[in-house]
Every structure is written in C-alpha cells, then in structure tokens.
Amino acid sequence: MSIPRRFYLPLGLGFLFFFVLPLLVPATVKLLQSGADKAEELGDVAASAVYQGEDGSLRMLRVMKHSTAQDDVFVLLDNDLQAKQLLGEPQRIVLPRAQLRQPARLRSEANGQLSLLLNDRHWWLRAPAQTAFAPMDAALRQRFAAELGTGVSKYAFGELREPGLLDVTSNTGDRYALYWASGELYPWAERLPRWQQRPWAQYPQTASRIDYADFDTDVAQYGMPMILLQFAQKVRPGEFERWPRLSVHSSADKQVRAAPKRYQPVSDGFVVSRQALREAGITQIATVASVPVQFSGEVLARNAGRVLMRYDETPTTAAEVVLQIVDARSLQVVWRKSTREMPQLLFDGEHLAAQAWPGGFYLSTGLNLPALVIDNEGQTLVDFQPQKRLEAASED
C-alpha cells in the first residue's frame, strides 16, 4: 500500500534511527559496547560532515545525540566511507541537558579544521591531524578575557558569505564577531563598517569570485530573479573573508538615470552601484554569460574549483528545484540536474543542505539524513539511500 507524500515527514521522524549504524560492519559495533556487553544508546543523527583524511580517503563524521533526565550525550562516529569501517574509538561528550532542544552544528573550516557547536553553548574544534575534538570555551575566555572573561551564553556560525565568522554572545549580553583563525574579535555592530573601511588600495592580491546578485529595479519582475556575477575582490592573506551581497539595477531605473556616473555596467542594460563595489574591494565585475537569469538562486557550497547552486526552474509556480555546478575558473556549467531526478534528496529538495570538500560536495536532506556525496563533476560517489529507508518504514 502506498503512503501519501504528506505522511513522509512524520514517518521519517519516527524511523530516523534506521540510519544509526548503516555504515558499520558488525565487528565495529563491539567498539561501542560497555563492560556489561551492552551497546551504548546512540540516539539520532544530530549533525554530519564529509571530509578528506590526510591519506586522501573520504571520511564521514556523524554526531549522534540522545538525552537522559540530566544530560545530553553526544557520540561522535568517524567512518571511512570507502572501507565502510569505523575509525578509532568514538568520542563521547556529556553536557548538562539543554532546556530547549538544540541541533548540533558542524562546519569545515578553510584550514582543514572541523568546528562543532553543541547546544549552541559549547564550541569544540578538531585539527586535521587530530582524531578528537578539543573544547574551546576556556581558551576563548583566556584569549579574549576583557570581552569574554565572564563566559559565553550563545554561539552561532556565520552564513556562507562569512565563512570564518563565529557569532558569540557573552554572559553579559554583549554580542561579538569572532574570527578565531585571524585572532580578531569585534563588537557585532562594528563588523560591517570595519570590512567596508579596509584600505583596499593597499591590498596586493585579488581573488576571483562568482555569486548571485538580486535584481533591484523599477521594472516589474515575477518571482525572485537572480543573476550570476563574476568579480575580482581584493584580499590580504590572514584576514577574514566576507563576500558582498550585491544588487543589480536596470539602466532605465529613475535613480540610475538621475546619476548614471554612480553606476557601473555589468551587462547590456544592467548596472551596479560603484559605491557598493568600492566598499567591497571589487575591481572587476561582469555577468556569467553561460548562466541565464534564474529564480530564487542560492549558492549552497563552494570549494577551490567548483560552486554548487540551487534555483527554481520557473518564477511563479512551485515547479522543480534544480541543482547546478559551475566551474569557478572557466565559468561553465559542468553539471545540472533536477531534484525530482534525485529521490535521495526527499521532498523534492525542500530541506536540502550542502557542504563542500575538495573533491566535491556532500548533500543532506530533511531530518539531518545524509543523502549523497558527489564529485566535482556531479557524479555520485556515495548514495545513502534515505528514500529507501522511509519506504521500508512505511511498509511496516
């Protein structure tokens, strides 16, 4: 008997435990057994990430979580995806139970480190050569004693446009922008002005970027049209990165016609603010000709050579969501596929998330379920088949 689509999400919640140990061979389960020869409860997948080991192997880190009356218990499982075996002893972290259920959060840093936020109140960091995460709360209070000596009440990761940012709120209620790798801590309100006021002319290097920009025009538009831009941005080694959110105007707009010298053309009939370019340290800009105007476009993840994006196929209807990979150097689309052709993403990709690794991208779907690992050409390397787990659950 078939199950209506509207029941997939509740069924998925009820049977999430089906993914607890799908990658482990029976012998590795013994690593989790207690002295009483009873396997420790693992709970649900709270977060996961794919990364490359120092030997080039493709690995997956999963954060499993279950709670007792007093504690939240996190068990960190590290797997070799090719060998399908557990790597080393699982790391176990026990914290006082949070009053509100908070998801664990994982992020791969530019220097190869892995950052982990637990209950939004504890920060852990793992270096590439290490096998365990180290707590960072005490080190943070010591490094920035004047601002954070009283402790931290909340952590959050910055968005994709600010890859090294950690949003930190102290126990006194003060909010800061933390860039641990560069050793910088600013009051939150100073974050944007400090970036805009950088002495860009003194920066010796530039980096090539591609990103979506919004249309902000007087011309009527349907949906949320986006245009893909290529630009060169000034950089200085060691400083934190921040990518601008640019807006594209029509050359026929009233504000553009009133002061045309304030705008720079990016394509036939469209311009961007010169002030916005100066504040972001952008020296060159143009549209990516190989990618037409798309709707509700969003960059999901980036690595050194590729950018993974999603967009809506049409402007006005809830049609299919499309994924595409663009080469960061040639600016050509190397792969494009509708989420309706990818049943692993569940719910037509509605709850899709992605992370980059040097050789490609890791896609996860609703309920934190791992879905796919694809390479930089879009080819599937690992299929976790979450849709089959839901189908099997619905048949029981």
Side-chain angles (χ1 to χ4, degrees):
M1 181 179 67
S2 63
I3 301 297
R5 180 180 293 272
R6 66 178 181 273
F7 293 123
Y8 279 15
L9 186 58
L11 284 171
L13 287 168
F15 292 90
L16 184 58
F17 68 88
F18 271 77
F19 188 72
V20 171
L21 295 175
L23 300 177
L24 305 185
V25 295
T28 62
V29 177
K30 294 180 181 179
L31 292 171
L32 299 177
Q33 291 181 330
S34 66
D37 198 32
K38 179 182 178 182
E40 178 182 9
E41 180 183 357
L42 293 177
D44 299 336
V45 181
S48 57
V50 166
Y51 68 100
Q52 272 190 309
E54 293 187 299
D55 60 356
S57 63
L58 189 58
R59 300 178 179 181
M60 183 178 202
L61 178 71
R62 284 175 295 157
V63 181
M64 314 299 297
K65 178 183 178 181
H66 72 276
S67 299
T68 68
Q70 294 81 30
D71 300 319
D72 287 326
V73 182
F74 300 89
V75 181
L76 280 54
L77 304 176
D78 215 350
N79 285 87
D80 185 312
L81 288 177
Q82 277 95 9
K84 296 185 178 180
Q85 65 182 15
L86 192 66
L87 300 170
E89 292 282 349
Q91 183 177 3
R92 190 171 185 268
I93 300 172
V94 181
L95 299 174
R97 182 166 182 171
Q99 294 181 350
L100 299 176
R101 182 179 176 85
Q102 302 285 356
R105 306 179 197 277
L106 267 173
R107 182 173 72 182
S108 298
E109 305 291 355
N111 57 6
Q113 292 180 315
L114 289 172
S115 274
L116 173 63
L117 300 184
L118 298 176
N119 290 348
D120 288 349
R121 295 202 60 178
H122 303 277
W123 175 38
W124 295 64
L125 196 62
R126 193 177 90 170
Q130 301 298 316
T131 58
F133 282 81
M136 298 299 295
D137 297 339
L140 184 61
R141 290 196 303 269
Q142 182 178 4
R143 188 172 186 177
F144 300 105
E147 299 88 352
L148 302 174
T150 61
V152 173
S153 64
K154 184 179 180 181
Y155 292 102
F157 288 138
E159 62 174 89
L160 187 64
R161 294 174 184 274
E162 298 176 287
L165 172 64
L166 199 59
D167 182 351
V168 179
T169 302
S170 72
N171 280 333
T172 60
D174 297 304
R175 190 180 181 189
Y176 296 95
L178 169 66
Y179 305 92
W180 182 260
S182 59
E184 297 168 272
L185 182 78
Y186 303 130
W188 188 259
E190 296 181 16
R191 168 174 127 270
L192 181 58
R194 281 178 179 265
W195 177 73
Q196 293 173 329
Q197 294 166 14
R198 283 179 173 177
W200 300 111
Q202 301 174 20
Y203 285 21
Q205 300 179 17
T206 59
S208 298
R209 316 287 202 195
I210 57 175
D211 205 356
Y212 280 111
D214 302 315
F215 277 107
D216 182 12
T217 77
D218 297 339
V219 181
Q221 297 281 353
Y222 293 100
M224 297 181 64
M226 314 284 286
I227 189 169
L228 197 62
L229 298 178
Q230 55 173 310
F231 54 92
Q233 186 180 28
K234 289 279 190 176
V235 295
R236 183 160 60 187
E239 276 192 328
F240 68 86
E241 290 185 294
R242 188 179 190 276
W243 296 37
R245 184 179 293 277
L246 297 173
S247 295
V248 175
H249 307 270
S250 168
S251 55
D253 286 351
K254 293 180 181 179
Q255 64 191 59
V256 177
R257 287 188 283 111
K261 292 184 179 180
R262 295 182 180 179
Y263 297 88
Q264 179 170 323
V266 293
S267 66
D268 186 22
F270 293 100
V271 298
V272 294
S273 164
R274 293 185 185 276
Q275 180 179 348
L277 300 183
R278 286 195 301 270
E279 291 177 345
I282 294 176
T283 58
Q284 301 174 13
I285 189 167
T287 60
V288 178
S290 60
V291 178
V293 172
Q294 297 170 341
F295 301 93
S296 301
E298 178 186 4
V299 171
L300 295 175
R302 317 171 190 269
N303 59 30
R306 297 285 196 267
V307 182
L308 175 66
M309 310 168 186
R310 59 136 286 163
Y311 65 91
D312 292 343
E313 183 73 359
T314 61
T316 57
T317 61
E320 57 193 321
V321 173
V322 179
L323 301 183
Q324 68 182 7
I325 296 176
V326 176
D327 184 275
R329 299 177 181 86
S330 71
L331 304 179
Q332 296 300 307
V333 177
V334 298
W335 175 81
R336 179 182 288 134
K337 197 167 187 178
S338 166
T339 58
R340 290 186 176 178
E341 301 176 67
M342 307 169 73
Q344 301 90 340
L345 300 184
L346 302 181
F347 322 118
D348 293 333
E350 183 180 351
H351 305 287
L352 175 66
Q355 300 170 17
W357 57 282
F361 302 93
Y362 164 51
L363 307 178
S364 59
T365 190
L367 317 175
N368 290 322
L369 285 175
L372 292 167
V373 179
I374 60 176
D375 65 15
N376 280 330
E377 308 304 316
Q379 299 300 309
T380 298
L381 300 180
V382 182
D383 184 349
F384 297 101
Q385 300 184 329
Q387 80 283 6
K388 291 189 176 181
R389 299 182 186 283
L390 291 183
E391 290 171 3
S394 66
E395 292 171 358
D396 292 344

